[in-house]
Amino acid sequence: MAKFLIADDHPLFREALQGALANHFSELTLREAEDLDSTLAALNKDDDVDLLLLDLHMPGSGDLYGLIRVREDYPLLPVAIISGSEDSSIVAKCIGFGALGFIPKSLPSAEIAEAIDTILQGETWVPKENRERLDVVSDEDQELAQKVSGLTPQQYRVLHFLHEGLLNKQIAYQLGITEATVKAHITAIFRKLGVYSRTQAVLVAERLQL
């Protein structure tokens, strides 16, 4: 019996995907998560998930951070990205950072099932139009991704707000923490990313499309 975790913040899509998968997999257990925190909690609680279907844009995931975080914490877990985007550079980065597949949400249910079958067999699946355009992720980006994987979800949220240009007191308000805690997070972010300024940290985030 296969067990999948669907991590997506849209209940209607999760429901539709469950229905589609149930038609193609006779024995299937499905779990759900709606953001990165609940995804990590579900994986920590249930260590026999066969496949994670991960939305790039759900809360906390921040495009590629969610994938990088999951791959760091659960390196043996097959991950397939489920996304409304079909941008070739994003597809390439997802595969380069360890996803076994990139499945557009626009695909018919039969093709989604076919893609998942391919991934469960240990092979990589991406849309046909992207297969000839998968640029290799550079060693520098791989190294940066390894550094980013060391950020906690809360530190990632702080990095996100730094990218948005918020001041420390504004970040503290947004996250419901003290300004001193924000400063401690920023210090940890600088150390883990190997940077010395907000500008350098933001450039890392932009380079990896976090």
Side-chain angles (χ1 to χ4, degrees):
M1 178 180 291
K3 183 182 291 185
F4 300 165
L5 174 61
I6 302 173
D8 190 287
D9 61 321
H10 294 96
L12 290 178
F13 176 75
R14 294 200 305 269
E15 183 178 346
L17 184 57
Q18 284 190 46
L21 294 176
N23 291 330
H24 293 278
F25 297 91
S26 58
E27 295 186 359
L28 178 63
T29 299
L30 292 168
R31 298 284 186 265
E32 295 183 35
E34 62 184 7
D35 54 29
L36 183 61
D37 286 343
S38 61
T39 299
L40 295 174
L43 292 172
N44 185 55
K45 182 179 179 180
D46 199 345
D47 62 359
D48 61 346
V49 172
D50 296 298
L51 177 66
L52 170 63
L53 297 162
L54 178 67
D55 177 28
L56 285 179
H57 303 301
M58 67 180 181
S61 192
D63 287 352
L64 294 173
Y65 172 71
L67 171 62
I68 293 170
R69 171 83 268 154
V70 168
R71 293 294 301 146
E72 173 67 14
D73 291 354
Y74 304 94
L76 300 180
L77 173 67
V79 180
I81 300 301
I82 297 281
S83 178
S85 170
E86 298 180 41
D87 182 270
S88 293
S89 65
I90 294 292
V91 176
K93 280 190 168 64
C94 287
I95 300 303
F97 293 149
L100 275 180
F102 191 100
I103 305 173
K105 291 182 176 181
S106 58
L107 284 184
S109 59
E111 290 187 40
I112 291 178
E114 177 187 336
I116 290 174
D117 270 332
T118 300
I119 292 165
L120 290 175
Q121 293 169 21
E123 300 179 24
T124 300
W125 192 97
V126 298
K128 291 179 181 178
E129 57 270 23
N130 297 109
R131 292 173 190 172
E132 302 301 324
R133 295 183 289 172
L134 287 181
D135 296 331
V136 177
V137 175
S138 69
D139 290 341
E140 182 179 0
D141 282 355
Q142 291 281 10
E143 183 179 344
L144 288 176
Q146 183 62 37
K147 292 178 179 178
V148 167
S149 72
L151 299 181
T152 66
Q154 187 77 323
Q155 288 166 356
Y156 170 74
R157 295 184 190 102
V158 172
L159 177 59
H160 168 76
F161 286 127
L162 289 178
H163 184 269
E164 294 296 311
L166 271 62
L167 302 174
N168 287 1
K169 62 181 180 181
Q170 294 172 312
I171 297 174
Y173 175 79
Q174 291 288 339
L175 295 178
I177 58 180
T178 66
E179 196 169 341
T181 301
V182 171
K183 291 179 180 178
H185 281 317
I186 291 175
T187 298
I189 290 168
F190 287 1
R191 174 175 52 81
K192 290 180 178 181
L193 297 185
V195 299
Y196 304 96
S197 69
R198 289 174 176 243
T199 299
Q200 289 178 319
V202 167
L203 288 175
V204 169
E206 289 182 348
R207 181 178 180 91
L208 294 183
Q209 294 176 273
L210 298 180

